[in-house]
Amino acid sequence: MAGESSLELRSIVTSGAKLEMSLETVAVPEPKDDEVLIRVEAAPINPSDLGLLIGPADVSTLEVTGSGNNVKATMDIPEAMMGAMQARMDQSLPAGNEGAGIVVAAGANAQALIGETVGVAGGSMYSQFRCVAASNCLVMNEGTSAAEGASCFVNPLTALGMVETMKMENHSALVHTAAASNLGQMLVKICLADEVQLVNIVRKTEHVELLKSLGAVHVCNSSDPGFMTELIDALVATGATVAFDATGGGKLAGQILTAMEVAANKTAKEYSRYGSTTHKQVYIYGGLDRSPTTFNRAFGMAWGIGGWLLTPFIQKVGQDKFQELRQRVADEIKTTFASHYTREVSLAEALSADAIKAYAKQATGEKYLIMPHK
Amino acid sequence: MAGESSLELRSIVTSGAKLEMSLETVAVPEPKDDEVLIRVEAAPINPSDLGLLIGPADVSTLEVTGSGNNVKATMDIPEAMMGAMQARMDQSLPAGNEGAGIVVAAGANAQALIGETVGVAGGSMYSQFRCVAASNCLVMNEGTSAAEGASCFVNPLTALGMVETMKMENHSALVHTAAASNLGQMLVKICLADEVQLVNIVRKTEHVELLKSLGAVHVCNSSDPGFMTELIDALVATGATVAFDATGGGKLAGQILTAMEVAANKTAKEYSRYGSTTHKQVYIYGGLDRSPTTFNRAFGMAWGIGGWLLTPFIQKVGQDKFQELRQRVADEIKTTFASHYTREVSLAEALSADAIKAYAKQATGEKYLIMPHK
């Protein structure tokens, strides 16, 4: 491969308050002793990729110029958000948290991986070739394609991480919002298999039906007028005291805590002046709703809201557990952890105006897969 | 004492959406083997007492009828808040988290305490006589009056608990809001003595001066136009990554997290797409600002906001540490842990319209002490 070139997607914030996405050609790297070179065949665009790809840029100002591999997408960044951009200013950053491909070269200690289809959370996966540590690769089972393995990390391990976090923090059931997402569907299947009670919160009637068709027991629609009552009933039935919220903004996190408090007090024998002593926790792991988070603290004093991110979870859970979870993903990649894509695009097509507008929306059921060699 | 009667303050929520405060006469209880009977001489009205005393009642609707020990104060409770009141409905509840007095009788195993001045977080302290477990009493040193020892629990242990929580959760400096309060002044003195760096947030210029006169180094005034810059500078100087917020509502908690994130990124060497990896925590331990809490999550993913309450902290810290902290309070009750009161009132005077309106405001520097035998 030495001497060949690799195309990769880049995002840059300029001091002129612009965000630019473009393609760069770089030399194919040479794997070191413990590394492998992957020919990347497929890499999904996850919500967690958008922070780096698009950041706080205003998609309504999008302009796309050039064509083919010279395409360039430009957007304005609101002036108020520029302060938070200082650390990445004027740096051309590669993107793409995860993907899958074929190992086409390997260092001295990783020769056994040559020819294998592997999934990896390597960063910079919107590239034609990517060099990563062999130990980071999840080898797919015989018969798994790169497209099938492309989303083997972020969503599967986040879903598994929610269930593990629930157990580690002594909760016995959990709540999930934006529950009809790819990740949400995985979580429904995991919870059914592992006999963990799950309360799903969705925003549309068709999503209630989708999740029920997968076997979900508790599905509450936040657009229903009776949402709070439904949610309280589901919390009483399951005893869920931890929630994972993909929306982040608005009132939902506070509504969940309030419903948990009401559910806890329904079984309380005595008035407690500071509210129920049951600890109620909401972890915000996404920002589908960009509006401010707001809540009225009508849920006693035993509560927490916080950010939840996969990487610190993996550090906390330890290497053995992490390997066990990864192997489960490889073994169930066509069932529990199957992902669905609405579009497969080349690197250049990923920078078309239509594509950017579509994936920036993060609509449930809309998902793009980049095929760097298409 | 048997056969004598004791006057005590009660609060009740009626199904007619009224909150009533009145005085009840009860029989003086007889101490069991491990109990003591305290003649309560002084009990403060803390913000943490108001939840039970006044709850969500609307003070602007206050009506006071009767006189002397037959006084009754009545307020309306907004209909929307009645759901949260179910657990205390129609129960006449005694109030007063803490106070001090003289042990006037004791059970067989607690005779040694007779005649001692003790402080106790016994609940129901707005009473003339109170029976509590001897082990709950903090014996005051020779020369300490009941009035001096009345606030020996809630504020001192909360202030000490903040510093201990900071240490237990691996932060190295802390932030405190509403920092000119009695509690805030204690915290300034503790941090000076223990060489812990503290960032104080106040809302008035005179409070900046007050805290500086006590030796406080970092005092930021949230009413200043340059507040965020001041706060960021203080956070860079101290490295504080945990805050204790008495206000609860509004934007302050989010501003603190945002300033912590900016401070953390000022020293960051590389752009991190999910923000700084430093965990930033705000604990809300009061609700001086009753408006909704609102924040825009411009502080990465490593953050938490949660309730903080003294009782779970004491359970967590263990008996030995708790005793050590209590003894420090007794030893420093006239210095580090001295409280200042603006008014000393009898039980009946505590139910006057003027008094209720004054302490319901929870204004910094305004503090009432109930003297049940006045």
Side-chain angles (χ1 to χ4, degrees):
Chain A
M1 302 292 141
E4 283 188 44
S5 68
S6 171
L7 202 61
E8 62 183 39
L9 198 156
R10 296 288 186 86
S11 172
I12 187 169
V13 169
T14 69
S15 35
K18 299 275 185 191
L19 183 133
E20 291 173 11
M21 292 158 72
S22 62
L23 303 182
E24 291 288 321
T25 302
V26 298
V28 171
E30 191 90 31
K32 299 197 187 74
D33 283 358
D34 295 313
E35 289 183 342
V36 297
L37 179 68
I38 302 169
R39 182 187 142 103
V40 182
E41 302 290 344
I45 301 181
N46 290 316
S48 52
D49 290 307
L50 296 178
L52 194 145
L53 267 187
I54 299 184
D58 178 356
V59 178
S60 73
T61 64
L62 175 65
E63 278 182 38
V64 177
T65 56
S67 64
N69 292 347
N70 293 316
V71 65
K72 181 185 279 190
T74 307
M75 291 172 255
D76 294 342
I77 298 176
E79 207 42 58
M81 305 303 290
M82 284 301 287
M85 295 292 103
Q86 290 309 315
R88 63 171 287 189
M89 192 71 76
D90 293 324
Q91 297 167 51
S92 175
L93 298 171
N97 287 327
E98 67 179 340
I102 315 289
V103 175
V104 290
N109 303 330
Q111 291 287 316
L113 286 179
I114 290 181
E116 295 282 4
T117 298
V118 296
V120 65
S124 316
M125 295 303 288
Y126 302 153
S127 304
Q128 291 184 316
F129 292 92
R130 181 81 181 94
C131 222
V132 300
S135 60
N136 286 348
C137 293
L138 180 61
V139 178
M140 292 294 139
N141 293 335
E142 188 74 35
T144 302
S145 71
E148 286 168 332
S151 294
C152 67
F153 196 89
V154 179
N155 279 344
L157 287 167
T158 299
L160 289 167
M162 291 173 180
V163 176
E164 292 302 320
T165 299
M166 176 201 84
K167 291 179 192 165
M168 285 193 291
E169 300 184 1
N170 299 312
H171 303 277
S172 58
L174 74 164
V175 177
H176 187 225
T177 76
S181 65
N182 264 317
L183 192 161
Q185 294 178 43
M186 291 177 192
L187 188 59
V188 167
K189 295 180 206 165
I190 293 166
C191 288
L192 280 172
D194 297 3
E195 298 184 348
V196 168
Q197 294 205 79
L198 170 67
V199 177
N200 299 278
I201 298 178
V202 297
R203 285 164 292 184
K204 294 181 177 167
T205 307
E206 59 264 38
H207 293 158
V208 177
E209 286 151 18
L210 170 66
L211 291 185
K212 294 231 163 177
S213 77
L214 295 177
V217 179
H218 303 282
V219 190
C220 304
N221 184 346
S222 59
S223 306
D224 278 353
F227 169 62
M228 281 301 279
T229 310
E230 279 176 44
L231 179 57
I232 291 164
D233 288 349
L235 293 172
V236 168
T238 58
T241 48
V242 63
F244 292 86
D245 176 28
T247 66
K251 296 185 173 182
L252 189 55
Q255 285 179 312
I256 293 169
L257 290 172
T258 303
M260 285 177 177
E261 178 73 3
V262 175
N265 285 331
K266 281 210 172 190
T267 51
K269 297 215 166 26
E270 200 179 313
Y271 174 66
S272 164
R273 68 191 70 186
Y274 299 116
S276 115
T277 55
T278 307
H279 184 75
K280 298 160 291 290
Q281 179 70 39
V282 174
Y283 285 115
I284 293 177
Y285 75 96
L288 296 176
D289 180 342
R290 289 192 181 199
S291 71
T293 311
T294 176
F295 53 88
N296 62 10
R297 311 185 308 287
F299 34 70
M301 292 299 281
W303 60 276
I305 299 181
W308 191 94
L309 206 55
L310 183 54
T311 314
F313 161 75
I314 291 171
Q315 282 159 0
K316 201 181 289 176
V317 82
Q319 198 57 29
D320 288 353
K321 187 73 188 176
F322 176 52
Q323 289 305 340
E324 175 195 322
L325 298 176
R326 290 218 309 173
Q327 193 52 50
R328 178 172 179 182
V329 175
D331 292 343
E332 302 176 20
I333 195 76
K334 295 191 187 192
T335 52
T336 313
F337 302 108
S339 290
H340 305 283
Y341 306 98
T342 36
R343 287 284 303 276
E344 295 182 354
V345 291
S346 68
L347 284 165
E349 287 164 354
L351 298 191
S352 71
D354 283 354
I356 292 171
K357 285 179 193 161
Y359 58 71
K361 249 190 276 173
Q362 304 181 51
T364 297
E366 278 276 1
K367 186 138 196 174
Y368 275 64
L369 187 67
I370 294 183
M371 315 286 276
H373 294 278
K374 187 186 166 189
Chain B
M1 303 289 141
E4 283 189 44
S5 68
S6 171
L7 201 61
E8 63 183 39
L9 198 157
R10 296 289 187 86
S11 172
I12 186 168
V13 169
T14 69
S15 35
K18 298 275 186 194
L19 182 133
E20 291 173 11
M21 291 159 72
S22 62
L23 303 182
E24 291 287 321
T25 302
V26 298
V28 171
E30 190 90 33
K32 299 198 187 74
D33 283 358
D34 295 314
E35 289 184 341
V36 297
L37 179 68
I38 302 169
R39 183 186 140 102
V40 181
E41 302 290 345
I45 301 182
N46 290 317
S48 51
D49 290 307
L50 296 178
L52 193 144
L53 267 188
I54 298 183
D58 178 356
V59 178
S60 73
T61 64
L62 174 66
E63 278 181 36
V64 178
T65 57
S67 64
N69 292 346
N70 293 315
V71 64
K72 182 185 275 190
T74 308
M75 290 172 254
D76 295 341
I77 298 177
E79 206 43 58
M81 304 305 290
M82 285 300 288
M85 294 292 105
Q86 291 309 316
R88 63 172 288 191
M89 191 70 77
D90 293 322
Q91 297 168 50
S92 174
L93 298 172
N97 287 328
E98 68 178 338
I102 316 290
V103 175
V104 290
N109 304 330
Q111 291 289 314
L113 287 178
I114 289 180
E116 295 281 7
T117 298
V118 296
V120 65
S124 316
M125 295 303 289
Y126 302 153
S127 304
Q128 291 184 316
F129 292 92
R130 181 80 180 96
C131 221
V132 300
S135 60
N136 286 348
C137 293
L138 180 61
V139 177
M140 292 295 140
N141 293 336
E142 189 74 35
T144 302
S145 71
E148 287 168 333
S151 294
C152 67
F153 196 90
V154 178
N155 280 345
L157 288 167
T158 300
L160 289 168
M162 289 172 182
V163 177
E164 291 302 321
T165 300
M166 176 203 83
K167 291 179 191 163
M168 285 194 293
E169 300 184 1
N170 301 313
H171 304 278
S172 58
L174 73 166
V175 178
H176 188 224
T177 76
S181 64
N182 264 316
L183 192 161
Q185 294 178 42
M186 291 177 192
L187 188 60
V188 167
K189 295 180 204 165
I190 294 166
C191 288
L192 281 172
D194 297 4
E195 297 184 348
V196 168
Q197 294 205 79
L198 170 66
V199 177
N200 299 278
I201 298 177
V202 298
R203 283 163 295 183
K204 293 180 178 167
T205 307
E206 59 262 39
H207 293 158
V208 177
E209 287 152 17
L210 170 66
L211 292 185
K212 294 233 163 174
S213 77
L214 295 177
V217 179
H218 303 282
V219 190
C220 303
N221 184 346
S222 60
S223 306
D224 278 353
F227 169 62
M228 280 301 279
T229 310
E230 280 177 43
L231 180 58
I232 291 164
D233 289 347
L235 293 172
V236 168
T238 59
T241 47
V242 63
F244 293 86
D245 176 28
T247 66
K251 296 186 173 180
L252 189 55
Q255 285 177 311
I256 293 169
L257 290 173
T258 303
M260 284 177 177
E261 177 73 3
V262 175
N265 286 330
K266 281 208 173 194
T267 52
K269 297 214 166 23
E270 199 179 315
Y271 174 67
S272 164
R273 68 190 73 187
Y274 299 116
S276 113
T277 54
T278 307
H279 183 77
K280 299 162 290 288
Q281 179 71 38
V282 174
Y283 285 114
I284 293 178
Y285 76 96
L288 296 175
D289 181 341
R290 289 191 181 201
S291 71
T293 310
T294 175
F295 53 87
N296 62 10
R297 309 186 308 288
F299 34 70
M301 293 298 281
W303 61 276
I305 299 181
W308 191 93
L309 205 55
L310 184 53
T311 314
F313 161 74
I314 292 171
Q315 283 159 0
K316 201 180 289 177
V317 82
Q319 196 58 28
D320 288 352
K321 188 73 188 177
F322 176 53
Q323 289 305 339
E324 176 194 323
L325 298 176
R326 289 218 309 173
Q327 193 53 49
R328 178 172 179 182
V329 176
D331 292 342
E332 302 175 22
I333 194 78
K334 295 190 186 191
T335 53
T336 314
F337 303 108
S339 290
H340 306 283
Y341 306 97
T342 36
R343 288 284 303 278
E344 296 183 353
V345 291
S346 68
L347 284 166
E349 287 164 352
L351 298 191
S352 72
D354 283 354
I356 293 171
K357 284 179 193 160
Y359 57 72
K361 248 190 277 174
Q362 304 181 50
T364 297
E366 278 275 3
K367 185 140 196 175
Y368 275 64
L369 186 67
I370 294 182
M371 315 285 277
H373 295 277
K374 188 184 166 190

